[in-house]
Amino acid sequence: MDTDGVPPLALDIDGTLTTAAGPIDPRAFDLLADWEAPVVLATGKSFPYPVALAHYAGVPETVVAENGGVVLVEGEVRHAGDPERARAAYRAYVDRGGDPGFTLEGTVNRWRETEVAVDRSRADEALLREVAAEFDLEVFDTGYAYHVKTPGVEKGDGLAVVADALGVEPSAFVAVGDSENDVSTFSVAGRSFAVANADERARAAADVVLAAGYFDGTLAAVERVRG
Ligand SMILES: [Mg+2]
């Protein structure tokens, strides 16, 4: 779908629609509400976060959450990944003295349906990666949290599911993101932009690395592709 030259968007949230301090940049609500083509919110956050953002922006709840573990499009929810294995790995990490920072009951994890997140500022990364590997899981570093997840579950696959449901070619999408969990999105979308605060993997995978960071970078990207 290309609405008068306006392409559909696949937008990461944290680091991409936010300010450097963490909250959503208020201008992001206008972008979401005013964009004339579909917008997919593709995030590592648990399912309710992007759904709530879409709801309060007044746009369709078209969401890829948990790094591809949960997809919502046209009212249908699909899951990928093994949540029990992720929780077992979390418990093993804690049993070995690892500090997870985020509890399973707190708001970061309590609605997480397919993976587990650990506080990046508190975790023992080496121990977490060691335990995850023993459970045949992998660790994604989004710059905000470590995500213990099932290998092969990726945001990019979620975007392909959404594109199919919407009847849009995946390559029609323009993606914007900031971290390694956006690399798969960048490879599925036709055009990709890394904001200036992006990590090395996202920068290497993107077609364009923007001079501006956070939502300023995203605004620059969408202005460039608006046509
Ligand atoms: Mg991000």
Side-chain angles (χ1 to χ4, degrees):
M1 187 184 302
D2 214 79
T3 310
D4 292 332
V6 178
L9 302 176
L11 302 177
D12 172 53
I13 298 178
D14 291 278
T16 303
L17 295 183
T18 62
T19 68
I24 295 287
D25 190 309
R27 297 170 296 169
F29 287 99
D30 291 331
L31 169 64
L32 296 175
D34 296 343
W35 197 254
E36 295 95 339
V39 179
V40 182
L41 296 169
T43 180
K45 279 282 207 300
S46 71
F47 192 28
Y49 288 78
V51 170
L53 177 56
H55 175 82
Y56 286 112
V59 299
E61 293 166 3
T62 308
V63 159
V64 177
E66 300 187 22
N67 297 304
V70 187
V71 174
L72 171 63
V73 59
E74 310 255 288
E76 192 177 331
V77 180
R78 306 169 209 217
H79 291 93
D82 185 342
E84 291 315 314
R85 194 143 47 100
R87 286 174 179 256
Y90 175 100
R91 291 189 191 97
Y93 165 78
V94 172
D95 284 348
R96 291 192 212 173
D99 180 356
F102 304 140
T103 64
L104 292 177
E105 296 75 28
T107 54
V108 170
N109 280 317
R110 68 179 305 132
W111 304 292
R112 205 169 279 274
E113 299 180 46
T114 65
E115 54 158 48
V116 173
V118 169
D119 188 341
R120 197 174 182 277
S121 67
R122 302 268 296 271
D124 177 338
E125 183 184 2
L127 176 62
L128 185 66
R129 289 188 184 278
E130 181 184 313
V131 172
E134 288 170 23
F135 283 80
D136 293 320
L137 297 167
E138 66 182 2
V139 176
F140 259 10
D141 176 3
T142 64
Y144 294 89
Y146 294 127
H147 296 249
V148 180
K149 59 181 282 295
T150 306
V153 176
E154 303 269 7
K155 279 192 199 181
D157 297 324
L159 178 60
V161 168
V162 168
D164 184 55
L166 295 177
V168 182
E169 283 299 317
S171 61
F173 278 86
V174 171
V176 189
D178 75 322
S179 79
E180 69 171 312
N181 68 341
D182 299 305
V183 169
S184 64
T185 318
F186 290 174
S187 69
V188 169
R191 283 176 285 177
S192 55
F193 293 84
V195 287
N197 49 296
D199 68 20
E200 281 310 313
R201 289 184 190 177
R203 301 172 84 87
D207 297 327
V208 176
V209 179
L210 298 152
Y214 300 95
F215 188 69
D216 286 332
T218 300
L219 261 189
V222 299
E223 280 165 11
R224 231 189 259 199
V225 302
R226 182 162 215 133

mmCIF file with all atom_site columns, all heavy atoms in Angstrom, residues 51-70:
data_model
loop_
_atom_site.group_PDB
_atom_site.id
_atom_site.type_symbol
_atom_site.label_atom_id
_atom_site.label_alt_id
_atom_site.label_comp_id
_atom_site.label_asym_id
_atom_site.label_entity_id
_atom_site.label_seq_id
_atom_site.pdbx_PDB_ins_code
_atom_site.Cartn_x
_atom_site.Cartn_y
_atom_site.Cartn_z
_atom_site.occupancy
_atom_site.B_iso_or_equiv
_atom_site.pdbx_formal_charge
_atom_site.auth_seq_id
_atom_site.auth_comp_id
_atom_site.auth_asym_id
_atom_site.auth_atom_id
_atom_site.pdbx_PDB_model_num
ATOM 1   N N   . VAL A 1 51 ? 0.147  -1.459  22.395 1.00 0.00 ? 51 VAL A N   1
ATOM 2   C CA  . VAL A 1 51 ? -1.314 -1.407  22.205 1.00 0.00 ? 51 VAL A CA  1
ATOM 3   C C   . VAL A 1 51 ? -1.858 -0.123  22.828 1.00 0.00 ? 51 VAL A C   1
ATOM 4   O O   . VAL A 1 51 ? -2.664 0.589   22.218 1.00 0.00 ? 51 VAL A O   1
ATOM 5   C CB  . VAL A 1 51 ? -1.996 -2.652  22.821 1.00 0.00 ? 51 VAL A CB  1
ATOM 6   C CG1 . VAL A 1 51 ? -3.508 -2.481  22.845 1.00 0.00 ? 51 VAL A CG1 1
ATOM 7   C CG2 . VAL A 1 51 ? -1.606 -3.901  22.041 1.00 0.00 ? 51 VAL A CG2 1
ATOM 8   N N   . ALA A 1 52 ? -1.405 0.186   24.030 1.00 0.00 ? 52 ALA A N   1
ATOM 9   C CA  . ALA A 1 52 ? -1.869 1.402   24.701 1.00 0.00 ? 52 ALA A CA  1
ATOM 10  C C   . ALA A 1 52 ? -1.433 2.644   23.930 1.00 0.00 ? 52 ALA A C   1
ATOM 11  O O   . ALA A 1 52 ? -2.204 3.604   23.793 1.00 0.00 ? 52 ALA A O   1
ATOM 12  C CB  . ALA A 1 52 ? -1.342 1.450   26.128 1.00 0.00 ? 52 ALA A CB  1
ATOM 13  N N   . LEU A 1 53 ? -0.203 2.622   23.419 1.00 0.00 ? 53 LEU A N   1
ATOM 14  C CA  . LEU A 1 53 ? 0.273  3.781   22.653 1.00 0.00 ? 53 LEU A CA  1
ATOM 15  C C   . LEU A 1 53 ? -0.604 3.994   21.422 1.00 0.00 ? 53 LEU A C   1
ATOM 16  O O   . LEU A 1 53 ? -1.031 5.121   21.131 1.00 0.00 ? 53 LEU A O   1
ATOM 17  C CB  . LEU A 1 53 ? 1.740  3.575   22.259 1.00 0.00 ? 53 LEU A CB  1
ATOM 18  C CG  . LEU A 1 53 ? 2.364  4.665   21.387 1.00 0.00 ? 53 LEU A CG  1
ATOM 19  C CD1 . LEU A 1 53 ? 2.243  6.043   22.029 1.00 0.00 ? 53 LEU A CD1 1
ATOM 20  C CD2 . LEU A 1 53 ? 3.835  4.335   21.107 1.00 0.00 ? 53 LEU A CD2 1
ATOM 21  N N   . ALA A 1 54 ? -0.903 2.919   20.695 1.00 0.00 ? 54 ALA A N   1
ATOM 22  C CA  . ALA A 1 54 ? -1.751 3.039   19.510 1.00 0.00 ? 54 ALA A CA  1
ATOM 23  C C   . ALA A 1 54 ? -3.148 3.517   19.903 1.00 0.00 ? 54 ALA A C   1
ATOM 24  O O   . ALA A 1 54 ? -3.720 4.407   19.256 1.00 0.00 ? 54 ALA A O   1
ATOM 25  C CB  . ALA A 1 54 ? -1.830 1.688   18.784 1.00 0.00 ? 54 ALA A CB  1
ATOM 26  N N   . HIS A 1 55 ? -3.668 2.940   20.956 1.00 0.00 ? 55 HIS A N   1
ATOM 27  C CA  . HIS A 1 55 ? -5.011 3.304   21.415 1.00 0.00 ? 55 HIS A CA  1
ATOM 28  C C   . HIS A 1 55 ? -5.110 4.801   21.709 1.00 0.00 ? 55 HIS A C   1
ATOM 29  O O   . HIS A 1 55 ? -6.014 5.480   21.226 1.00 0.00 ? 55 HIS A O   1
ATOM 30  C CB  . HIS A 1 55 ? -5.359 2.485   22.661 1.00 0.00 ? 55 HIS A CB  1
ATOM 31  C CG  . HIS A 1 55 ? -6.661 2.856   23.279 1.00 0.00 ? 55 HIS A CG  1
ATOM 32  N ND1 . HIS A 1 55 ? -7.875 2.378   22.818 1.00 0.00 ? 55 HIS A ND1 1
ATOM 33  C CD2 . HIS A 1 55 ? -6.955 3.689   24.309 1.00 0.00 ? 55 HIS A CD2 1
ATOM 34  C CE1 . HIS A 1 55 ? -8.850 2.887   23.546 1.00 0.00 ? 55 HIS A CE1 1
ATOM 35  N NE2 . HIS A 1 55 ? -8.327 3.688   24.459 1.00 0.00 ? 55 HIS A NE2 1
ATOM 36  N N   . TYR A 1 56 ? -4.148 5.300   22.483 1.00 0.00 ? 56 TYR A N   1
ATOM 37  C CA  . TYR A 1 56 ? -4.234 6.703   22.900 1.00 0.00 ? 56 TYR A CA  1
ATOM 38  C C   . TYR A 1 56 ? -3.748 7.675   21.830 1.00 0.00 ? 56 TYR A C   1
ATOM 39  O O   . TYR A 1 56 ? -3.997 8.875   21.935 1.00 0.00 ? 56 TYR A O   1
ATOM 40  C CB  . TYR A 1 56 ? -3.520 6.908   24.225 1.00 0.00 ? 56 TYR A CB  1
ATOM 41  C CG  . TYR A 1 56 ? -4.334 6.343   25.367 1.00 0.00 ? 56 TYR A CG  1
ATOM 42  C CD1 . TYR A 1 56 ? -3.903 5.236   26.088 1.00 0.00 ? 56 TYR A CD1 1
ATOM 43  C CD2 . TYR A 1 56 ? -5.569 6.898   25.687 1.00 0.00 ? 56 TYR A CD2 1
ATOM 44  C CE1 . TYR A 1 56 ? -4.668 4.702   27.105 1.00 0.00 ? 56 TYR A CE1 1
ATOM 45  C CE2 . TYR A 1 56 ? -6.346 6.367   26.707 1.00 0.00 ? 56 TYR A CE2 1
ATOM 46  C CZ  . TYR A 1 56 ? -5.890 5.278   27.408 1.00 0.00 ? 56 TYR A CZ  1
ATOM 47  O OH  . TYR A 1 56 ? -6.667 4.752   28.406 1.00 0.00 ? 56 TYR A OH  1
ATOM 48  N N   . ALA A 1 57 ? -3.089 7.146   20.800 1.00 0.00 ? 57 ALA A N   1
ATOM 49  C CA  . ALA A 1 57 ? -2.772 7.990   19.639 1.00 0.00 ? 57 ALA A CA  1
ATOM 50  C C   . ALA A 1 57 ? -3.946 8.007   18.662 1.00 0.00 ? 57 ALA A C   1
ATOM 51  O O   . ALA A 1 57 ? -3.936 8.777   17.695 1.00 0.00 ? 57 ALA A O   1
ATOM 52  C CB  . ALA A 1 57 ? -1.504 7.484   18.955 1.00 0.00 ? 57 ALA A CB  1
ATOM 53  N N   . GLY A 1 58 ? -4.919 7.127   18.911 1.00 0.00 ? 58 GLY A N   1
ATOM 54  C CA  . GLY A 1 58 ? -6.100 7.098   18.045 1.00 0.00 ? 58 GLY A CA  1
ATOM 55  C C   . GLY A 1 58 ? -5.852 6.440   16.701 1.00 0.00 ? 58 GLY A C   1
ATOM 56  O O   . GLY A 1 58 ? -6.463 6.808   15.703 1.00 0.00 ? 58 GLY A O   1
ATOM 57  N N   . VAL A 1 59 ? -4.937 5.463   16.687 1.00 0.00 ? 59 VAL A N   1
ATOM 58  C CA  . VAL A 1 59 ? -4.618 4.766   15.427 1.00 0.00 ? 59 VAL A CA  1
ATOM 59  C C   . VAL A 1 59 ? -4.894 3.271   15.603 1.00 0.00 ? 59 VAL A C   1
ATOM 60  O O   . VAL A 1 59 ? -5.012 2.787   16.733 1.00 0.00 ? 59 VAL A O   1
ATOM 61  C CB  . VAL A 1 59 ? -3.146 5.009   15.015 1.00 0.00 ? 59 VAL A CB  1
ATOM 62  C CG1 . VAL A 1 59 ? -2.911 6.497   14.792 1.00 0.00 ? 59 VAL A CG1 1
ATOM 63  C CG2 . VAL A 1 59 ? -2.173 4.455   16.046 1.00 0.00 ? 59 VAL A CG2 1
ATOM 64  N N   . PRO A 1 60 ? -5.024 2.515   14.501 1.00 0.00 ? 60 PRO A N   1
ATOM 65  C CA  . PRO A 1 60 ? -5.272 1.073   14.622 1.00 0.00 ? 60 PRO A CA  1
ATOM 66  C C   . PRO A 1 60 ? -4.189 0.382   15.454 1.00 0.00 ? 60 PRO A C   1
ATOM 67  O O   . PRO A 1 60 ? -3.012 0.748   15.380 1.00 0.00 ? 60 PRO A O   1
ATOM 68  C CB  . PRO A 1 60 ? -5.249 0.586   13.171 1.00 0.00 ? 60 PRO A CB  1
ATOM 69  C CG  . PRO A 1 60 ? -5.617 1.784   12.365 1.00 0.00 ? 60 PRO A CG  1
ATOM 70  C CD  . PRO A 1 60 ? -5.020 2.958   13.087 1.00 0.00 ? 60 PRO A CD  1
ATOM 71  N N   . GLU A 1 61 ? -4.606 -0.614  16.229 1.00 0.00 ? 61 GLU A N   1
ATOM 72  C CA  . GLU A 1 61 ? -3.667 -1.354  17.072 1.00 0.00 ? 61 GLU A CA  1
ATOM 73  C C   . GLU A 1 61 ? -2.952 -2.391  16.213 1.00 0.00 ? 61 GLU A C   1
ATOM 74  O O   . GLU A 1 61 ? -3.344 -3.547  16.148 1.00 0.00 ? 61 GLU A O   1
ATOM 75  C CB  . GLU A 1 61 ? -4.419 -1.987  18.245 1.00 0.00 ? 61 GLU A CB  1
ATOM 76  C CG  . GLU A 1 61 ? -4.967 -0.935  19.198 1.00 0.00 ? 61 GLU A CG  1
ATOM 77  C CD  . GLU A 1 61 ? -5.998 -1.468  20.176 1.00 0.00 ? 61 GLU A CD  1
ATOM 78  O OE1 . GLU A 1 61 ? -6.271 -2.683  20.173 1.00 0.00 ? 61 GLU A OE1 1
ATOM 79  O OE2 . GLU A 1 61 ? -6.554 -0.648  20.937 1.00 0.00 ? 61 GLU A OE2 1
ATOM 80  N N   . THR A 1 62 ? -1.924 -1.926  15.520 1.00 0.00 ? 62 THR A N   1
ATOM 81  C CA  . THR A 1 62 ? -1.111 -2.778  14.649 1.00 0.00 ? 62 THR A CA  1
ATOM 82  C C   . THR A 1 62 ? 0.272  -2.835  15.275 1.00 0.00 ? 62 THR A C   1
ATOM 83  O O   . THR A 1 62 ? 1.021  -1.850  15.252 1.00 0.00 ? 62 THR A O   1
ATOM 84  C CB  . THR A 1 62 ? -1.052 -2.201  13.223 1.00 0.00 ? 62 THR A CB  1
ATOM 85  O OG1 . THR A 1 62 ? -2.382 -1.956  12.772 1.00 0.00 ? 62 THR A OG1 1
ATOM 86  C CG2 . THR A 1 62 ? -0.366 -3.172  12.285 1.00 0.00 ? 62 THR A CG2 1
ATOM 87  N N   . VAL A 1 63 ? 0.588  -4.004  15.855 1.00 0.00 ? 63 VAL A N   1
ATOM 88  C CA  . VAL A 1 63 ? 1.669  -4.057  16.821 1.00 0.00 ? 63 VAL A CA  1
ATOM 89  C C   . VAL A 1 63 ? 2.518  -5.306  16.641 1.00 0.00 ? 63 VAL A C   1
ATOM 90  O O   . VAL A 1 63 ? 1.987  -6.400  16.434 1.00 0.00 ? 63 VAL A O   1
ATOM 91  C CB  . VAL A 1 63 ? 1.019  -4.066  18.243 1.00 0.00 ? 63 VAL A CB  1
ATOM 92  C CG1 . VAL A 1 63 ? 1.960  -4.622  19.275 1.00 0.00 ? 63 VAL A CG1 1
ATOM 93  C CG2 . VAL A 1 63 ? 0.529  -2.675  18.612 1.00 0.00 ? 63 VAL A CG2 1
ATOM 94  N N   . VAL A 1 64 ? 3.836  -5.127  16.726 1.00 0.00 ? 64 VAL A N   1
ATOM 95  C CA  . VAL A 1 64 ? 4.763  -6.237  16.910 1.00 0.00 ? 64 VAL A CA  1
ATOM 96  C C   . VAL A 1 64 ? 5.431  -5.993  18.256 1.00 0.00 ? 64 VAL A C   1
ATOM 97  O O   . VAL A 1 64 ? 6.165  -5.020  18.414 1.00 0.00 ? 64 VAL A O   1
ATOM 98  C CB  . VAL A 1 64 ? 5.821  -6.299  15.788 1.00 0.00 ? 64 VAL A CB  1
ATOM 99  C CG1 . VAL A 1 64 ? 6.816  -7.410  16.054 1.00 0.00 ? 64 VAL A CG1 1
ATOM 100 C CG2 . VAL A 1 64 ? 5.157  -6.481  14.425 1.00 0.00 ? 64 VAL A CG2 1
ATOM 101 N N   . ALA A 1 65 ? 5.129  -6.844  19.250 1.00 0.00 ? 65 ALA A N   1
ATOM 102 C CA  . ALA A 1 65 ? 5.651  -6.661  20.608 1.00 0.00 ? 65 ALA A CA  1
ATOM 103 C C   . ALA A 1 65 ? 6.635  -7.782  20.940 1.00 0.00 ? 65 ALA A C   1
ATOM 104 O O   . ALA A 1 65 ? 6.723  -8.794  20.227 1.00 0.00 ? 65 ALA A O   1
ATOM 105 C CB  . ALA A 1 65 ? 4.510  -6.655  21.611 1.00 0.00 ? 65 ALA A CB  1
ATOM 106 N N   . GLU A 1 66 ? 7.367  -7.593  22.034 1.00 0.00 ? 66 GLU A N   1
ATOM 107 C CA  . GLU A 1 66 ? 8.267  -8.631  22.541 1.00 0.00 ? 66 GLU A CA  1
ATOM 108 C C   . GLU A 1 66 ? 9.219  -9.145  21.448 1.00 0.00 ? 66 GLU A C   1
ATOM 109 O O   . GLU A 1 66 ? 9.436  -10.346 21.309 1.00 0.00 ? 66 GLU A O   1
ATOM 110 C CB  . GLU A 1 66 ? 7.471  -9.783  23.160 1.00 0.00 ? 66 GLU A CB  1
ATOM 111 C CG  . GLU A 1 66 ? 6.620  -9.306  24.321 1.00 0.00 ? 66 GLU A CG  1
ATOM 112 C CD  . GLU A 1 66 ? 5.934  -10.436 25.085 1.00 0.00 ? 66 GLU A CD  1
ATOM 113 O OE1 . GLU A 1 66 ? 6.422  -11.580 25.012 1.00 0.00 ? 66 GLU A OE1 1
ATOM 114 O OE2 . GLU A 1 66 ? 4.941  -10.157 25.747 1.00 0.00 ? 66 GLU A OE2 1
ATOM 115 N N   . ASN A 1 67 ? 9.745  -8.214  20.658 1.00 0.00 ? 67 ASN A N   1
ATOM 116 C CA  . ASN A 1 67 ? 10.733 -8.582  19.626 1.00 0.00 ? 67 ASN A CA  1
ATOM 117 C C   . ASN A 1 67 ? 10.196 -9.600  18.632 1.00 0.00 ? 67 ASN A C   1
ATOM 118 O O   . ASN A 1 67 ? 10.953 -10.458 18.153 1.00 0.00 ? 67 ASN A O   1
ATOM 119 C CB  . ASN A 1 67 ? 12.016 -9.108  20.297 1.00 0.00 ? 67 ASN A CB  1
ATOM 120 C CG  . ASN A 1 67 ? 12.679 -8.051  21.137 1.00 0.00 ? 67 ASN A CG  1
ATOM 121 O OD1 . ASN A 1 67 ? 12.987 -6.971  20.629 1.00 0.00 ? 67 ASN A OD1 1
ATOM 122 N ND2 . ASN A 1 67 ? 12.891 -8.315  22.417 1.00 0.00 ? 67 ASN A ND2 1
ATOM 123 N N   . GLY A 1 68 ? 8.904  -9.531  18.352 1.00 0.00 ? 68 GLY A N   1
ATOM 124 C CA  . GLY A 1 68 ? 8.303  -10.464 17.397 1.00 0.00 ? 68 GLY A CA  1
ATOM 125 C C   . GLY A 1 68 ? 7.529  -11.594 18.053 1.00 0.00 ? 68 GLY A C   1
ATOM 126 O O   . GLY A 1 68 ? 6.864  -12.358 17.371 1.00 0.00 ? 68 GLY A O   1
ATOM 127 N N   . GLY A 1 69 ? 7.603  -11.694 19.371 1.00 0.00 ? 69 GLY A N   1
ATOM 128 C CA  . GLY A 1 69 ? 6.901  -12.777 20.081 1.00 0.00 ? 69 GLY A CA  1
ATOM 129 C C   . GLY A 1 69 ? 5.390  -12.650 20.023 1.00 0.00 ? 69 GLY A C   1
ATOM 130 O O   . GLY A 1 69 ? 4.677  -13.651 20.032 1.00 0.00 ? 69 GLY A O   1
ATOM 131 N N   . VAL A 1 70 ? 4.893  -11.415 19.973 1.00 0.00 ? 70 VAL A N   1
ATOM 132 C CA  . VAL A 1 70 ? 3.450  -11.182 19.912 1.00 0.00 ? 70 VAL A CA  1
ATOM 133 C C   . VAL A 1 70 ? 3.167  -10.207 18.768 1.00 0.00 ? 70 VAL A C   1
ATOM 134 O O   . VAL A 1 70 ? 3.786  -9.152  18.669 1.00 0.00 ? 70 VAL A O   1
ATOM 135 C CB  . VAL A 1 70 ? 2.906  -10.586 21.234 1.00 0.00 ? 70 VAL A CB  1
ATOM 136 C CG1 . VAL A 1 70 ? 1.382  -10.528 21.191 1.00 0.00 ? 70 VAL A CG1 1
ATOM 137 C CG2 . VAL A 1 70 ? 3.364  -11.383 22.437 1.00 0.00 ? 70 VAL A CG2 1
#
